[in-house]
Amino acid sequence: MIVVFASGSGTNFEAIANAFPLDVKALVCNKESALVIKKAQNKNIPCFVIPHTHFLSRADHEIEIINKLTTIKNIKVIVLAGYMRVLTATFFTELRKTQPTPLLINLHPANLNTYKGAHAYEYAIDNHFSRWELTVHEVIEELDAGPVLNSIEFPIFPFETVQQLQERVRPLEHKLLTSTLAKIIGQEKNL
């Protein structure tokens, strides 16, 4: 009922898979060398590795992803958890053809009104913010603009580096994602 899209190390994927071991049905990854693949394999979760570099266009890549998704029954939610690709209109058009259409959510490391896109932590540090926010939102065609489902604010400490900030807030990312998913799939529990 949950499919996770990820491109990197997979810490958010792992948190989701640990919290919902019976509900994560697949991982979709666009990078053949991503560490998240091994994490999915170790948990016996099916993994669709669909490298975007193997396609001539984003549309072709996204259609192939949708084709793989149609092999999975009863997807309730798709989670973009460190998936470093911006989805295009093609993806949304094709996804809407699946019935029921799954909810698509994203973890974004900023308040949506403050910063959109990649490198949010760098932006926060470079611009000397003292407080920052993590947001889980519904994904719509406009980048980082969908309805906010959950968020949490946290301090940024003076002289903190981007790497230190990322490491410190990673547990908050996990908690925010899993608590939001619990509400979505109706599994309220102490996460």
Side-chain angles (χ1 to χ4, degrees):
M1 102 178 357
I2 299 169
V3 174
V4 179
F5 285 28
S7 301
S9 65
T11 61
N12 286 319
F13 165 80
E14 194 167 42
I16 293 166
N18 288 342
F20 306 99
L22 301 177
D23 296 311
V24 177
K25 300 302 181 191
L27 168 72
V28 172
C29 183
N30 65 309
K31 292 189 173 185
E32 294 170 301
S33 61
L35 298 176
V36 68
I37 297 167
K38 187 70 171 165
K39 290 179 179 177
Q41 291 169 340
N42 289 343
K43 293 183 176 300
N44 295 314
I45 294 172
C47 185
F48 298 107
V49 181
I50 309 167
H52 61 274
T53 55
H54 293 191
F55 295 85
L56 295 176
S57 70
R58 279 184 181 265
D60 290 344
H61 180 244
E62 291 175 351
I63 288 169
E64 181 60 21
I65 292 170
I66 294 292
N67 288 339
K68 297 297 185 192
L69 291 178
T70 60
T71 67
I72 305 167
K73 302 259 189 273
N74 301 318
I75 302 172
K76 185 167 187 175
V77 61
I78 297 170
V79 183
L80 305 182
Y83 188 67
M84 301 309 292
R85 299 279 292 171
V86 175
L87 299 171
T88 69
T90 298
F91 184 86
F92 292 96
T93 299
E94 295 301 316
L95 185 65
R96 283 190 288 269
K97 293 177 185 176
T98 63
Q99 293 301 320
T101 302
L103 176 65
L104 186 61
I105 69 170
N106 180 49
L107 170 68
H108 183 63
N111 176 297
L112 300 185
N113 294 321
T114 304
Y115 189 85
K116 297 178 187 306
H119 311 293
Y121 291 130
E122 290 88 340
Y123 178 83
I125 295 289
D126 290 347
N127 289 281
H128 309 289
F129 280 85
S130 61
R131 300 201 61 74
W132 201 242
E133 190 171 323
L134 294 170
T135 305
V136 175
H137 65 94
E138 184 175 342
V139 178
I140 61 173
E141 289 184 47
E142 184 181 344
L143 180 67
D144 295 330
V148 173
L149 303 173
N150 206 347
S151 65
I152 189 168
E153 191 176 278
F154 54 89
I156 296 178
F157 302 132
F159 308 109
E160 190 167 35
T161 68
V162 171
Q163 183 177 354
Q164 289 167 334
L165 176 62
Q166 288 173 320
E167 289 174 8
R168 182 171 58 83
V169 301
R170 188 163 289 126
L172 289 176
E173 291 178 355
H174 301 166
K175 184 168 181 57
L176 188 67
L177 262 177
T178 56
S179 65
T180 304
L181 276 169
K183 291 175 186 170
I184 291 168
I185 66 173
Q187 289 189 359
E188 292 288 350
K189 55 184 174 179
N190 294 329
L191 297 172

